[in-house]
């Protein structure tokens, strides 16, 4: 009797036929007055890097954004659908949509198509009713409102760091600093995360996007 042992060095051994491995690092943290979302920029297809500077933070309403992980095609399609629905809702009601509404629309699409999608997203934003909010929608379509949310293959490396550093009602500057620090640590350890760090601070006053190039990361090879 013989047994087949998967080669631990073969990254394809646990994948389905035709499936490729993907990876990313995304996160979002609410603060007193808004929310900060951040992501790396590497799009990987197995061992091949398809895009070094992808923008994984998609805007779906004036003050609502989505961090995307999983299949780039699937998550782009989902954000386009939700953006369209929210635009229609704003026209019909005459007011901007709530973050909770956007998150539940995304959850419904993910859940009802869970067998055909590979999508894990974080919906974050600000609205005048509930302020800054973060909703995590992992593979399968569950939805959870979180005090902070981390996703993607790089997230496993930084849970301890974020648990130790996170505080409620931080300032926008301190929150953005933590997001950049955590993502840079994940990029240094996770082979499927890399490139640059993009962040956006969402408040009632508007959205402030920021870009940190690979040679200016707070942690990583450039600083060693």
């Amino acid at each position: 009797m013989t047994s087949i042992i998967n080669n631990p060095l073969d990254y394809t051994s646990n994948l389905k036929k035709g499936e490729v491995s993907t990876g990313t690092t995304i996160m979002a943290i609410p603060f007193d007055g808004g929310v900060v979302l951040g992501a790396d920029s590497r799009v990987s297809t197995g061992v091949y890097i398809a895009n070094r500077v992808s923008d994984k933070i998609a805007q779906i309403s004036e003050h609502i954004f989505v961090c995307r992980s999983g299949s780039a095609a699937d998550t782009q399609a989902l954000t386009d659908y939700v953006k369209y629905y929210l635009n229609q809702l704003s026209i019909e009601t005459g007011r901007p949509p709530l973050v909770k509404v956007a998150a539940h629309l995304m959850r419904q699409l993910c859940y009802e198509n869970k067998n055909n999608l590979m999508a894990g997203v974080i919906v974050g934003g600000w609205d005048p009713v509930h302020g800054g909010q973060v909703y995590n929608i992992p593979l399968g379509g569950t939805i959870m409102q979180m005090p902070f949310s981390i996703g993607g293959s790089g997230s496993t490396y930084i849970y301890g760091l974020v648990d130790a550093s996170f505080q409620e009602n931080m300032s926008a500057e301190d929150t953005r600093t933590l997001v950049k620090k955590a993502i840079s640590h994940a990029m240094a350890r996770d082979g499927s995360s890399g490139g640059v760090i993009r962040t956006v601070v969402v408040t009632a006053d508007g959205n402030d996007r920021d870009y940190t190039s690979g040679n200016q990361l707070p942690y990583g090879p450039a600083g060693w």
Side-chain angles (χ1 to χ4, degrees):
M1 181 177 180
T2 60
S3 61
I4 299 175
I5 300 176
N6 290 335
N7 182 357
L9 300 179
D10 181 8
Y11 79 96
T12 64
S13 59
N14 295 318
L15 298 178
K16 299 177 182 177
K17 183 179 180 180
E19 183 182 7
V20 295
S21 64
T22 61
T24 188
T25 301
I26 55 174
M27 67 183 298
I29 302 178
F31 63 91
D32 187 19
V35 64
V36 177
L37 301 96
D40 73 314
S41 66
R42 176 174 293 177
V43 176
S44 56
T45 306
V47 296
Y48 176 73
I49 298 173
N51 190 342
R52 295 183 297 169
V53 288
S54 172
D55 188 356
K56 302 178 184 179
I57 307 175
Q59 185 173 11
I60 57 175
S61 186
E62 183 177 1
H63 295 295
I64 307 174
F65 288 78
V66 174
C67 290
R68 304 180 294 111
S69 70
S71 165
D74 290 351
T75 55
Q76 285 172 351
L78 286 169
T79 53
D80 286 344
Y81 273 114
V82 174
K83 184 176 181 179
Y84 169 78
Y85 289 142
L86 293 179
N87 185 49
Q88 289 294 107
L89 180 64
S90 297
I91 294 173
E92 292 174 4
T93 61
R95 58 178 183 267
L98 300 180
V99 181
K100 180 168 64 174
V101 172
H104 279 276
L105 277 172
M106 182 69 75
R107 191 274 316 161
Q108 183 175 3
L109 289 172
C110 289
Y111 180 77
E112 292 180 352
N113 300 279
K114 61 185 176 181
N115 294 326
N116 302 312
L117 295 175
M118 183 170 61
V121 300
I122 299 172
V123 178
W126 176 92
D127 63 52
V129 178
H130 302 292
Q133 303 146 76
V134 168
Y135 292 87
N136 185 28
I137 307 173
L139 293 172
T142 302
I143 186 170
M144 297 167 284
Q145 184 174 5
M146 307 287 287
F148 65 84
S149 182
I150 318 172
S153 58
S155 64
T156 57
Y157 298 91
I158 57 174
Y159 271 103
L161 171 63
V162 179
D163 282 338
S165 304
F166 170 75
Q167 296 178 357
E168 293 186 354
N169 298 322
M170 293 189 294
S171 67
E173 182 179 356
D174 289 343
T175 306
R176 174 175 263 170
T177 299
L178 174 56
V179 169
K180 288 184 179 182
K181 179 181 179 181
I183 293 176
S184 65
H185 275 74
M187 290 164 62
R189 301 297 180 190
D190 177 32
S192 296
S193 300
V196 303
I197 296 176
R198 302 182 193 275
T199 61
V200 57
V201 177
V202 184
T203 64
D205 298 326
N207 310 313
D208 178 29
R209 278 188 174 267
D210 180 72
Y211 164 93
T212 304
S213 61
N215 63 347
Q216 295 179 330
L217 299 175
Y219 179 84
W224 289 350

